[in-house]
Amino acid sequence: MKVIAIFAAILAVALAAPQGRDADAQIVRADVDNIGVGGYRYSYETSNGLSSDEQGEVKNEGREDETLVVRGQFSYVGPDGVTYTVTYIADENGFQPQGAHIPQN
């Protein structure tokens, strides 16, 4: 029984490994600013078309209703070759994504 469990775990790891162009992707740009108390900002881009840009800041610092507010976007190339972009805000109201491919209520 242990052999089957170990084999299943190894198979799962092998299947989860990036395939094709994603396996060879490299970081082509990375910027990190102001990591520390009060806020942060980072962005990166990879050779396979993935990119992300995010910034966060503390709202109402030191008060009972202190919240981290995060704004950002990420883009990726889907299996269909289309580049998808998601912009978002995450704050006291939760994660709020927007994108042309995301259904709106």
Side-chain angles (χ1 to χ4, degrees):
M1 188 65 162
K2 284 184 180 180
V3 174
I4 294 172
I6 292 171
F7 177 74
I10 292 171
L11 180 62
V13 169
L15 292 175
Q19 305 295 315
R21 68 187 184 101
D22 291 336
D24 299 322
Q26 297 179 353
I27 297 172
V28 296
R29 182 184 58 81
D31 298 307
V32 179
D33 295 319
N34 196 26
I35 299 292
V37 177
Y40 67 91
R41 180 179 177 90
Y42 76 85
S43 63
Y44 64 85
E45 184 178 345
T46 63
S47 60
N48 63 341
L50 180 70
S51 67
S52 180
D53 182 20
E54 181 176 293
Q55 64 184 27
E57 63 182 332
V58 176
K59 180 178 165 185
N60 302 323
E61 189 169 357
R63 295 184 8 194
E64 188 174 312
D65 60 344
E66 179 176 296
T67 304
L68 177 63
V69 178
V70 177
R71 290 179 172 77
Q73 69 86 29
F74 61 88
S75 297
Y76 62 94
V77 179
D80 55 2
V82 174
T83 299
Y84 294 93
T85 300
V86 176
T87 58
Y88 58 88
I89 298 174
D91 58 14
E92 66 273 7
N93 297 313
F95 181 68
Q96 304 154 55
Q98 294 183 343
H101 63 290
I102 299 175
Q104 300 296 310
N105 291 337

